[in-house]
Amino acid sequence: MISLSYKTKQLLSILLKTAVFLISIVWIYFTWKDRSMNFKWFIVSINLEMISWIILMIAISLISWLIESRKWQYLVKEFYELRFRESVLQNLTSQAASFITPFRLGEFALKSLFFSKAHRKNVVSKVFWANFSQMVVTCTFGIASIITLSSINDKLDIYFILLVLSILIIGLFSVRFIDKKLQIRATPQTQLVITIGYSLLRYLVFASNWIIVLWALNYDFELIDVMLKIGLYYLLVSVVPVLQLLDLPVRYTVASIVFESTLQQEEVILIASTIVWFTNTVVPTLFGCALLPFKSFKLAQA
């Protein structure tokens, strides 16, 4: 079996992310180059009601981070009694670090700095479990959406389904490798179930922002249909390897494919993708950036 060096793996990772980003940009260009985009209707529609919807979405996004913080507090309690306020600060500042790093590596690195060296292996393991449990929920909803949509929509190509499943299988092999390195199978089953419960609650909260923004933009949709497409959307953007900093083109590309629509509705999808990305990703990152200079490291010595 061929073993790749660390530098080679890093280079391949960077090339893959760059390729995904460039492919998305090219796809957007060829999709829109012959179309006349008109966003005047959106500019005109920006009023107190629209601003209120966006404020509500920001509040919902922050609630989802409070849930994530409660999950983090629960995960680390076996070796440190972390206050909820500290958990919130750690999560928001780690989001700022992960925003510019691949595979959320910034989160692993920064959170480990909040604890003494003796705790760092445990911290890395818990960060992995926190993210893995979220991925389990995302994949569960995504696969259920694929199965349901494929049974009612002939346009979902079988090769597309196989591609998604192949990416998931690769991801599972990666999980097995990390599991072997970190020995996370020692995690109690009860802890895993409760962690997935927090992840499920958080998923339902932040995914609701899609329904809110489509409603606010007067997008014509049926609730069940759009919920299935939201599940498929989050599955695809989760398995596509790209930096959070550069993932807006990828998110729009995925959204415009998943939410099949007319030209005017595609303009709605473009705006909706941007607003959801801003409220769910950028706003928490900005909060984290603002808090980072005031956050001390290595607080947990016990």
Side-chain angles (χ1 to χ4, degrees):
M1 186 175 180
I2 299 175
S3 178
L4 299 177
S5 68
Y6 175 77
K7 289 185 177 180
T8 301
K9 291 177 181 178
Q10 289 293 97
L11 178 60
L12 289 175
S13 176
I14 293 171
L15 290 175
L16 179 58
K17 295 175 183 61
T18 303
V20 170
F21 177 73
L22 292 177
I23 289 171
S24 297
I25 294 293
V26 171
W27 189 93
I28 292 171
Y29 171 75
F30 282 105
T31 300
W32 290 99
K33 69 173 184 176
D34 297 323
R35 299 183 180 184
S36 177
M37 297 180 70
N38 178 20
F39 296 118
K40 289 181 180 179
W41 62 270
F42 176 68
I43 296 173
V44 171
S45 68
I46 297 179
N47 49 29
L48 184 60
E49 182 181 1
M50 189 65 201
I51 293 173
S52 299
W53 282 118
I54 294 175
I55 292 174
L56 174 62
M57 291 176 65
I58 292 174
I60 288 174
S61 174
L62 293 177
I63 289 171
S64 77
W65 280 98
L66 293 179
I67 296 170
E68 180 68 14
S69 299
R70 181 66 187 90
K71 179 172 73 175
W72 178 240
Q73 182 187 30
Y74 170 77
L75 284 171
V76 301
K77 74 175 184 178
E78 67 182 52
F79 59 86
Y80 185 76
E81 288 295 330
L82 187 67
R83 292 182 299 171
F84 182 69
R85 174 178 172 274
E86 288 293 336
S87 182
V88 173
L89 292 174
Q90 287 186 14
N91 274 295
L92 289 177
T93 52
S94 297
Q95 163 61 18
S98 67
F99 188 72
I100 56 173
T101 55
F103 300 113
R104 302 187 64 86
L105 292 179
E107 180 182 6
F108 286 83
L110 194 63
K111 279 187 175 177
S112 67
L113 293 176
F114 291 132
F115 297 83
S116 65
K117 189 175 181 180
H119 291 310
R120 286 180 184 171
K121 185 175 181 180
N122 285 330
V123 171
V124 171
S125 177
K126 298 307 179 185
V127 173
F128 173 78
W129 268 125
N131 286 289
F132 177 66
S133 64
Q134 200 65 59
M135 193 63 183
V136 168
V137 172
T138 301
C139 290
T140 301
F141 275 90
I143 293 173
S145 296
I146 290 176
I147 294 172
T148 306
L149 286 170
S150 63
S151 66
I152 62 178
N153 187 354
D154 294 334
K155 294 180 180 179
L156 253 170
D157 196 281
I158 185 64
Y159 296 107
F160 174 73
I161 298 173
L162 290 174
L163 174 63
V164 174
L165 292 178
S166 298
I167 294 173
L168 291 176
I169 291 171
I170 293 172
L172 289 175
F173 277 112
S174 300
V175 168
R176 290 191 63 184
F177 171 79
I178 297 172
D179 179 44
K180 183 179 179 181
K181 291 292 182 182
L182 298 179
Q183 297 180 347
I184 54 179
R185 289 186 179 180
T187 303
Q189 188 174 5
T190 303
Q191 186 181 93
L192 178 58
V193 171
I194 293 175
T195 305
I196 291 177
Y198 280 123
S199 298
L200 173 61
L201 180 59
R202 183 178 181 231
Y203 180 93
L204 296 175
V205 170
F206 70 69
S208 66
N209 268 346
W210 261 106
I211 298 175
I212 291 172
V213 74
L214 292 176
W215 179 276
L217 294 172
N218 297 314
Y219 181 82
D220 184 24
F221 67 90
E222 294 181 3
L223 184 58
I224 298 300
D225 180 65
V226 81
M227 287 175 65
L228 291 172
K229 290 179 178 179
I230 289 171
L232 179 55
Y233 166 82
Y234 276 117
L235 172 63
L236 294 177
V237 298
S238 295
V239 297
V240 173
V242 69
L243 299 177
Q244 289 189 67
L245 181 63
L246 305 175
D247 72 350
L248 183 56
V250 176
R251 287 174 180 268
Y252 168 59
T253 301
V254 172
S256 61
I257 293 173
V258 171
F259 296 91
E260 302 172 50
S261 42
T262 64
L263 175 58
Q264 183 177 357
Q265 288 178 324
E266 284 194 16
E267 293 172 354
V268 173
I269 293 301
L270 173 57
I271 294 169
S273 300
T274 305
I275 293 175
V276 171
W277 178 74
F278 176 76
T279 56
N280 284 1
T281 303
V282 176
V283 171
T285 299
L286 293 176
F287 273 104
C289 290
L291 293 169
L292 193 55
F294 306 100
K295 191 75 188 72
S296 60
F297 296 132
K298 298 181 182 179
L299 63 88
Q301 300 296 330

